[in-house]
Amino acid sequence: MRVSSIPGRRSLATYPFRIRIRAAYGDLDANHHINNVALSRFVEEACASLNMQVFGEDVVVRPSGGVQLLTASVSIDFVAQGHYPGEVVAAAGVAAIGRSSFIYATALFQPERCIAVAQTTLVYARDGAGVPVPQTVRAAMEPWLLRAAA
């Protein structure tokens, strides 16, 4: 499933999870726009923050011999320029849940104008190998499913 094909990808209302990230002066490129590396970092932070909501902080910040969340792929489309000074709203939601993996859809907005869309595929793993996503995790993800486009 290609997340960019989901209707409403560039609408903030589609995403149930949001965080605000302040753009820093060091995030600028030679043209004084927020650079693509910084935007990629904002996407990563949105995914990590959503993971903490679903799995708890310890799984993300202090992983042990238990659950691992392995990033299998990340795809980002930069659709408009980001500007400094200002904040970026990083919005995310669960787009799909497979047998042992799941996809987060993410978009960045400034203020409500979409500047990037992304999809991240994560593998639910133990000891480095994908295992089926437990029903309890599926239930924890339900509140974070993408909302239907209006």
Side-chain angles (χ1 to χ4, degrees):
M1 168 186 183
R2 185 80 185 144
V3 177
S4 60
S5 66
I6 296 171
R9 279 291 272 131
R10 295 185 187 187
S11 172
L12 186 57
T14 301
Y15 302 91
F17 180 79
R18 299 172 190 162
I19 59 171
R20 293 188 173 280
I21 301 171
R22 184 183 168 279
Y25 179 78
D27 293 334
L28 298 181
D29 62 18
N31 296 314
H32 299 282
H33 301 119
I34 300 173
N35 69 57
N36 292 353
V37 173
L39 295 175
S40 300
R41 194 176 72 249
F42 298 165
V43 166
E44 177 184 50
E45 186 61 31
C47 289
S49 296
L50 181 53
N51 276 336
M52 285 189 269
Q53 292 293 315
V54 173
F55 297 96
E57 187 176 294
D58 285 342
V59 170
V60 177
V61 180
R62 291 173 283 284
S64 63
V67 173
Q68 299 166 303
L69 305 174
L70 307 176
T71 302
S73 68
V74 179
S75 174
I76 304 173
D77 294 333
F78 303 104
V79 297
Q81 297 171 346
H83 299 286
Y84 177 87
E87 288 185 328
V88 172
V89 174
V94 178
I97 306 170
R99 188 188 72 77
S100 62
S101 65
F102 51 95
I103 298 173
Y104 284 162
T106 310
L108 305 177
F109 298 88
Q110 199 182 41
E112 289 193 25
R113 177 181 55 96
C114 184
I115 59 175
V117 292
Q119 82 176 31
T120 303
T121 302
L122 296 160
V123 175
Y124 188 87
R126 291 192 186 276
D127 299 319
V131 297
V133 177
Q135 193 57 41
T136 55
V137 171
R138 291 173 183 276
M141 288 183 170
E142 278 188 31
W144 307 110
L145 289 169
L146 293 179
R147 299 176 181 140

